[in-house]
Amino acid sequence: MPDYVKMNNGAIVELSGSEGIDFIQRISTNDVSKLEVGGMKRTVLANERGRIIDVVSLFRRDQESLMLVGQGIDPQQLISWLEKFIIMEDLRTNDLTSSYVMFILFSDETIDEAGAAPALPSDFILLDESNASGNLFRLVCPKDGHSLALDWLRRSGFVEVGVEGLDEFRIRHTIPWYGKELTEQYNPLEAGLGALVDWTKGCYIGQEVIARLDTYKKIQRSLVRLKLSAIPSEIPSPIFSGSSEVGTITTTTTLMAPESLALGYMKVAFLGSEGGNLRTGREKEIDVEILNH
């Protein structure tokens, strides 16, 4: 059965002006140069060190207006980062976050398989953020369309769950999330976002670092699923092999009991070795098992 969570965060920023596409093309990882009106594409905003600022869904509203739907909580942070790179372009930013409501839809099936979804109102935007394993969408609608959105979700067969339900889905499908797996500590390749990096386009912010990591196989960490003997009291929580820190737990949930599954980053050098007993926790030791890498 498909589920949804109403989100109380996630920046929505309008970028208006004739050079919007060219601007996003030169500052983000994906090739957005051919994005048509009404189309969407995901791309990563990275800093000069190739680390993740945010992952945004780019929606082209018309020829001179782009909507950037980010995972980050603070729209002003996103706006400040964009404006840092607006030099000579005739571009304007506008915070639209308070004018919209946002829902995260997720299912092991496609929306069509999950139920016969009725047509969306024309001013609603459905952004596909799925990966190869799980189907996840971001539904953005005007604030005054909130009740209409809830009716559409009900008639489409969606059931509201808590944020832990979303975390459970993300763990099962190794989907990273802002503030947990998507932070300035990690780069897109470590987070499994290689599909959002175009290797043939020109330069962008962080391009030299990201390209070097790929070319010379220098990726230090990898996002993996983990099995724990108990839930740590603090997240993030370091993972140790002997006295060496080899990873970090980033997301857990109690919904998978009696199993305790998690997402986390592990050092690639450790994944390629014979390894050893893994543990975490401060009050008591918690055993850690790597499920996939």
Side-chain angles (χ1 to χ4, degrees):
M1 182 174 292
D3 298 313
Y4 77 89
V5 173
K6 182 181 177 183
M7 301 301 293
N8 295 317
N9 54 30
I12 302 176
V13 173
E14 179 186 38
L15 185 65
S16 56
S18 60
E19 299 174 279
I21 286 291
D22 291 340
F23 174 71
I24 299 298
Q25 177 75 359
R26 75 172 176 82
I27 68 167
S28 72
T29 62
N30 215 343
D31 183 359
V32 301
S33 60
K34 297 180 175 60
L35 187 64
E36 302 287 345
V37 173
M40 70 83 64
K41 199 157 195 178
R42 297 182 75 206
T43 190
V44 180
L45 305 178
N47 63 21
E48 292 83 351
R49 299 173 60 202
R51 304 292 182 86
I52 298 166
I53 297 294
D54 203 350
V55 178
V56 300
S57 292
L58 186 68
F59 177 74
R60 189 163 192 176
R61 305 172 80 184
D62 54 47
Q63 291 294 340
E64 296 199 359
S65 177
L66 299 171
M67 180 184 283
L68 281 72
V69 181
Q71 288 198 12
I73 296 172
D74 184 1
Q76 290 306 314
Q77 184 179 9
L78 177 57
I79 288 173
S80 295
W81 193 85
L82 293 171
E83 290 182 344
K84 183 169 66 170
F85 299 102
I86 297 175
I87 303 171
M88 305 212 35
E89 296 89 351
D90 180 22
L91 292 172
R92 296 163 300 283
T93 58
N94 182 24
D95 179 11
L96 301 179
T97 308
S98 62
S99 300
Y100 288 86
V101 292
M102 190 183 305
F103 302 87
I104 305 298
L105 322 181
F106 50 100
S107 174
D108 292 325
E109 306 169 315
T110 66
I111 284 184
D112 287 340
E113 290 171 339
L120 275 172
S122 59
D123 54 353
F124 284 28
I125 303 169
L126 189 64
L127 304 169
D128 189 348
E129 299 184 3
S130 307
N131 66 7
S133 172
N135 298 292
L136 187 145
F137 296 82
R138 196 174 293 259
L139 176 63
V140 179
C141 62
K143 201 166 188 177
D144 59 7
H146 181 260
S147 59
L148 192 59
L150 291 176
D151 182 63
W152 182 88
L153 289 165
R154 178 186 57 78
R155 291 189 293 123
S156 301
F158 285 88
V159 175
E160 184 175 14
V161 298
V163 174
E164 273 209 308
L166 174 59
D167 285 342
E168 184 268 346
F169 179 83
R170 294 196 305 103
I171 291 169
R172 286 194 292 107
H173 297 285
T174 322
I175 296 175
W177 208 250
Y178 183 85
K180 296 185 177 182
E181 294 77 34
L182 305 178
T183 76
E184 289 188 58
Q185 290 182 277
Y186 307 108
N187 66 64
L189 304 184
E190 292 173 333
L193 299 178
L196 304 186
V197 178
D198 187 278
W199 302 106
T200 62
K201 62 175 284 188
C203 293
Y204 55 86
I205 309 301
Q207 184 265 343
E208 183 178 346
V209 175
I210 293 172
R212 188 165 63 245
L213 289 172
D214 180 67
T215 300
Y216 297 106
K217 309 302 179 189
K218 294 293 186 180
I219 300 171
Q220 299 296 308
R221 294 161 293 199
S222 181
L223 183 61
V224 297
R225 293 172 64 240
L226 304 164
K227 184 176 180 180
L228 314 177
S229 60
I231 298 293
S233 59
E234 295 181 9
I235 296 295
S237 183
I239 301 171
F240 295 93
S241 175
S243 60
S244 300
E245 186 172 334
V246 295
T248 305
I249 298 170
T250 53
T251 296
T252 61
T253 177
T254 60
L255 294 186
M256 293 175 164
E259 288 189 310
S260 298
L261 302 185
L263 285 180
Y265 284 97
M266 296 295 298
K267 290 184 177 180
V268 171
F270 177 83
L271 293 174
S273 70
E274 290 298 320
N277 293 328
L278 300 179
R279 59 180 174 78
T280 190
R282 291 182 172 85
E283 295 85 358
K284 63 177 182 178
E285 289 193 0
I286 295 172
D287 296 329
V288 179
E289 177 186 348
I290 301 170
L291 296 181
N292 69 308
H293 60 84

